[in-house]
Amino acid sequence: MCQWCNQHGDRGQKWYDKIENYMFEKVFPDEAAQEKAKEEIKSTFSQTEWRYSDPEFIRNKQFLQDRADSGFGSQIITKEEMVKVIRLADEATKRADTFMVLGHCPCRLVYEGVRDYVCIGFGMPVIMSMEVGYGRLPREGLTEYGGEEWRNLRRDLRKGVKVPLKLAEAEELIDEWEKRGLWHIVMSRGRLPLIEAICNCERRYCTYWMNRFRSDVPEYVLKGHFIARVHPEKCVSCGECWDKCQFGAIHYSPTSDNVDIDPTLCMGCGLCDGACPNEAITMVAREQIPLAKNLW
Ligand code: SF4
Ligand code: SF4
């Protein structure tokens, strides 16, 4: 089990399999804690997020470590796990009378100026993010909450955002993202263990990935609970899997004409498994691989 399952799961349960971790009122049971958390959510969306567009912050390890210590974090999951996550999120939003929304990837917006709708947010953070007009371009000034500008902004946002997003739509999207070769993460944005969103990412622009691998703050994106393993007898060396791996974990050996997966590099995204036409790859529990069982 990873550190978050140990801290936030119940009796060996994964932290993202626990429905209470999707519910604002369960994570923050008293009113004072709720108000404080809401203020922090607003602050995250209205101030800190756009610092990501500033190199002074994106490469500032202390700034990133402080944020990780205050509860920013995510974990790579497989497509099958993501479907389970989105079903739990849907159930939690119904119980708490909130909703799910499809939103653009803020990382891709910062790095490439493109709005790519590959994230799903849910619960109270969605409500709070809409109040501050989350979705503005980097460096635009804050709009006053409730004013005409804010209303126009929210209307514009909604042109690109399905509000609310239905569960069946979300499941279709997850399929689409898997086909695009995007890996899946389940995330908390400053309030671990509150699960607030899922993202579907690529290495070239995922800020959480960069915070781990370039700035050496691993809590930003933990490796997943599974590791890919090849069955050599089924592998025909077609190359479909190694095209999918964004982490350099898959190697082709011309001498054996076979494919190897390095368990110490595998992040557990499962994209290779989904791409293999021969069912030559299976995802096994990290605990079963002695070399990698403690590598989170
Ligand atoms: S996709 Fe499957 S069959 Fe093709 S090289 Fe990879 S493991 Fe082998
Ligand atoms: S080998 Fe690569 S593509 Fe396959 S699960 Fe691991 S990280 Fe993902």
Side-chain angles (χ1 to χ4, degrees):
M1 284 283 141
C2 69
Q3 61 259 46
W4 293 333
C5 294
N6 288 332
Q7 287 168 32
H8 306 302
D10 279 342
R11 297 179 298 279
Q13 183 187 37
K14 295 188 184 100
W15 68 289
Y16 49 81
D17 284 344
K18 181 176 169 180
I19 193 160
E20 288 80 5
N21 288 344
Y22 295 74
M23 302 179 77
F24 183 77
E25 287 78 9
K26 296 281 183 192
V27 176
F28 301 103
D30 69 83
E31 207 173 311
Q34 286 177 16
E35 286 314 307
K36 184 166 176 281
K38 283 181 186 175
E39 284 311 309
E40 283 171 3
I41 292 172
K42 280 192 200 174
S43 166
T44 302
F45 285 117
S46 63
Q47 298 165 22
T48 322
E49 187 66 29
W50 301 122
R51 290 184 177 179
Y52 269 32
S53 60
D54 190 334
E56 185 188 334
F57 287 97
I58 192 64
R59 299 287 174 259
N60 182 335
K61 181 169 176 177
Q62 192 56 54
F63 167 72
L64 296 173
Q65 188 64 62
D66 288 348
R67 292 187 95 204
D69 293 345
S70 73
F72 274 82
S74 73
Q75 186 161 35
I76 293 201
I77 54 177
T78 64
K79 179 189 141 189
E80 291 72 24
E81 289 179 294
M82 183 166 262
V83 169
K84 279 202 282 177
V85 161
I86 208 67
R87 287 177 185 168
L88 282 173
D90 183 60
E91 175 61 26
T93 56
K94 282 181 186 141
R95 289 192 201 174
D97 195 23
T98 56
F99 48 89
M100 303 200 288
V101 296
L102 174 64
H104 67 263
C105 167
C107 307
R108 187 147 190 219
L109 180 60
V110 166
Y111 278 90
E112 298 181 339
V114 171
R115 285 182 195 268
D116 193 4
Y117 286 83
V118 292
C119 302
I120 296 175
F122 30 79
M124 180 57 70
V126 165
I127 311 279
M128 304 311 293
S129 71
M130 290 194 148
E131 286 194 6
V132 296
Y134 180 59
R136 288 161 295 121
L137 286 167
R139 297 184 184 286
E140 283 179 356
L142 268 180
T143 48
E144 189 189 345
Y145 171 52
E148 187 184 348
E149 199 184 350
W150 176 82
R151 282 198 300 277
N152 291 341
L153 174 65
R154 198 165 72 154
R155 195 182 53 233
D156 286 349
L157 278 175
R158 285 183 168 177
K159 284 179 193 162
V161 180
K162 291 179 189 175
V163 179
L165 185 70
K166 295 191 181 82
L167 177 61
E169 292 174 308
E171 289 180 356
E172 266 177 42
L173 284 166
I174 291 169
D175 264 344
E176 250 175 54
W177 293 327
E178 171 91 358
K179 283 183 196 135
R180 272 179 64 183
L182 304 179
W183 35 272
H184 319 291
I185 60 180
V186 56
M187 62 203 310
S188 182
R189 298 169 50 86
R191 287 155 289 280
L192 267 169
L194 184 66
I195 295 169
E196 308 182 16
I198 55 170
C199 283
N200 298 272
C201 307
E202 282 182 76
R203 179 173 153 162
R204 66 198 165 103
Y205 58 74
C206 177
T207 311
Y208 275 43
W209 183 88
M210 291 185 211
N211 292 349
R212 175 180 178 125
F213 286 99
R214 291 196 187 157
S215 302
D216 195 25
V217 186
E219 297 91 339
Y220 261 94
V221 56
L222 291 190
K223 294 181 178 187
H225 284 266
F226 295 94
I227 287 184
R229 186 156 65 190
V230 179
H231 301 279
E233 72 286 359
K234 291 187 183 171
C235 175
V236 293
S237 303
C238 67
E240 291 293 326
C241 58
W242 66 75
D243 278 353
K244 290 283 183 187
C245 186
Q246 298 184 39
F247 305 103
I250 304 182
H251 303 281
Y252 171 65
S253 161
T255 48
S256 61
D257 187 28
N258 227 327
V259 165
D260 291 316
I261 295 181
D262 182 338
T264 66
L265 295 178
C266 177
M267 293 291 285
C269 69
L271 286 173
C272 55
D273 176 27
C276 178
N278 262 21
E279 298 185 355
I281 295 178
T282 49
M283 303 301 290
V284 298
R286 183 168 289 276
E287 284 80 2
Q288 290 178 26
I289 312 289
L291 193 59
K293 68 177 185 183
N294 294 319
L295 299 179
W296 296 103

